[in-house]
Amino acid sequence: MLNQTSVTEFLLLGMTDIQELQPFLFVVFLTIYFVNVTGNGAILMIVISDPRLHLPMYFFLGNLSCLDICYSTVTLPKMLENFFSTHKAISFVGCISQLHFFHFLGSTEAMLLAVMALDRFVAICKPLHYTVIMNHQRCTQMASTIWVIGFFHALLHSIMTSHLNFCGSNQIHHFFCDIKPLLELACGHIELNQWLLNTVTGTMAIGPFFLTLLSYFYIITYLVFKTHSCSMLHRALSTCASHFMVVIIFYSPVVFTYIHPASGSSMDQERVIAIMYTVVTPVLNPLVYTLRNKEVKRALIRMIRRKLFRNWEKHSLEGLTLFNNV
């Protein structure tokens, strides 16, 4: 990426200018980040290690957990560093890289949620063909495809943004590098960048959302008109509840941010919304799935029991060895 300007770094002004709040916010966001990495990491370990969860639904859940860990890691460590930094600088290359990975992971997660809805549609509406349609090879191909599409979608934005001219202030009124704050600092023509943001990124976000809604529409229609058992209807809907909650949590702040018109008076509001989808949403996903999904809870309990048994066995062997030596 070739920079066409003399700007070598940007200043991230962060969440607030009130110095007294900085230590408190540092502790809060550090705790959230730790819970995010621990929770999503636990789900990832469970999905990989437990053979009973080697199913398409949990394969995609593992992808989601991996995305959520990376998604927060793109923005949170730099924000935590800037709470105690006086300069709060990020290099031009670092800023474009942060922008790239933020949109790469965000667009990939949007598409992954649509694929997870498709998986539930096939499982409920076409149960006899489920193992054939959602076989391991096809699931791997779908996951790989959305990761690749997300990468090149973000690459388009990062290249276009890196070629803008920044001739004025280098202060970004945000806690990470995003397209909209950078466009406000750019000089010259930014119409193409704005069009790409509104059209391409809008399509990448709203397109999977409507596909997800369409999948659930067909699921509900199928269950209402084809299923006459209330218990079966309840069981089928409960399997979709966790995923649907994650979809709502993910899309609510995203839709608000990219549809709500930008203005100087809305900058504080946009930062709060950004906190929702970069910090809060990734930490809620593992809580939703572990609290509502019985299989994940059972697998978590099995993993904890195995861990405790191994520790007990290890200490028992150490104690027995010490006793024999005496």
Side-chain angles (χ1 to χ4, degrees), residues 63-83:
N63 275 263
L64 180 64
S65 295
C66 181
L67 279 169
D68 283 334
I69 293 173
C70 297
Y71 199 38
S72 289
T73 303
V74 169
T75 56
L76 264 177
K78 186 63 180 176
M79 183 173 71
L80 292 171
E81 176 191 338
N82 286 341
F83 278 131

Side-chain angles (χ1 to χ4, degrees), residues 255-323:
V255 170
F256 180 88
T257 299
Y258 286 98
I259 289 180
H260 186 70
S263 64
S265 61
S266 67
M267 286 305 299
D268 292 337
Q269 203 173 35
E270 287 193 10
R271 281 197 290 266
V272 173
I273 295 298
I275 285 290
M276 285 297 298
Y277 63 77
T278 59
V279 180
V280 178
T281 299
V283 83
L284 288 178
N285 290 351
L287 292 176
V288 169
Y289 274 103
T290 52
L291 291 176
R292 291 198 57 85
N293 191 294
K294 293 181 180 179
E295 287 300 321
V296 174
K297 285 193 289 188
R298 289 169 184 164
L300 179 61
I301 292 170
R302 286 195 296 268
M303 187 180 74
I304 293 173
R305 285 176 177 173
R306 284 197 302 267
K307 185 69 175 176
L308 292 174
F309 177 76
R310 286 171 186 168
N311 289 338
W312 175 83
E313 190 177 43
K314 179 182 177 182
H315 290 310
S316 297
L317 288 173
E318 288 176 352
L320 183 61
T321 303
L322 182 62
F323 176 78

Side-chain angles (χ1 to χ4, degrees), residues 96-111:
I96 297 299
S97 299
Q98 191 179 56
L99 180 154
H100 171 79
F101 283 102
F102 174 76
H103 283 271
F104 164 40
L105 297 167
S107 58
T108 302
E109 182 160 339
M111 291 183 287

Side-chain angles (χ1 to χ4, degrees), residues 10-220:
F10 293 100
L11 300 180
L12 295 170
L13 299 185
M15 288 293 299
T16 178
D17 296 328
I18 304 174
Q19 294 297 323
E20 290 76 11
L21 283 177
Q22 307 285 357
F24 172 73
L25 291 176
F26 175 84
V27 173
V28 169
F29 288 116
L30 180 63
T31 303
I32 292 175
Y33 183 59
F34 175 77
V35 173
N36 171 26
V37 174
T38 304
N40 284 295
I43 289 181
L44 196 56
M45 287 177 57
I46 291 169
V47 170
I48 293 173
S49 62
D50 197 321
R52 302 182 193 184
L53 299 186
H54 290 176
L55 301 169
M57 176 182 176
Y58 301 107
F59 169 74
F60 293 127
L61 177 58
N63 275 263
L64 180 64
S65 295
C66 181
L67 279 169
D68 283 334
I69 293 173
C70 297
Y71 199 38
S72 289
T73 303
V74 169
T75 56
L76 264 177
K78 186 63 180 176
M79 183 173 71
L80 292 171
E81 176 191 338
N82 286 341
F83 278 131
F84 294 104
S85 174
T86 55
H87 193 40
K88 304 181 187 297
I90 184 171
S91 67
F92 184 88
V93 174
C95 186
I96 297 299
S97 299
Q98 191 179 56
L99 180 154
H100 171 79
F101 283 102
F102 174 76
H103 283 271
F104 164 40
L105 297 167
S107 58
T108 302
E109 182 160 339
M111 291 183 287
L112 178 65
L113 291 174
V115 171
M116 293 174 76
L118 175 64
D119 171 69
R120 293 298 84 206
F121 164 74
V122 177
I124 294 171
C125 300
K126 298 183 181 295
L128 299 179
H129 301 92
Y130 180 71
T131 55
V132 176
I133 297 173
M134 302 299 291
N135 57 61
H136 177 72
Q137 182 180 3
R138 185 165 286 121
C139 290
T140 304
Q141 288 173 346
M142 286 193 292
S144 302
T145 300
I146 61 176
W147 280 83
V148 170
I149 292 174
F151 178 85
F152 282 104
H153 160 253
L155 188 64
L156 173 66
H157 282 303
S158 55
I159 290 175
M160 293 299 297
T161 306
S162 69
H163 282 79
L164 290 173
N165 289 315
F166 298 96
C167 55
S169 171
N170 68 339
Q171 295 183 346
I172 299 176
H173 293 271
H174 218 309
F175 61 91
F176 69 97
C177 290
D178 199 4
I179 297 173
K180 291 173 75 174
L182 285 173
L183 290 182
E184 293 178 1
L185 305 180
C187 306
H189 300 289
I190 60 171
E191 289 78 11
L192 179 59
N193 298 76
Q194 289 177 329
W195 181 85
L196 288 172
L197 179 63
N198 295 330
T199 306
V200 179
T201 303
T203 302
M204 293 291 292
I206 303 302
F209 178 63
F210 280 114
L211 288 175
T212 302
L213 292 182
L214 185 64
S215 297
Y216 278 111
F217 172 78
Y218 276 110
I219 289 172
I220 294 172

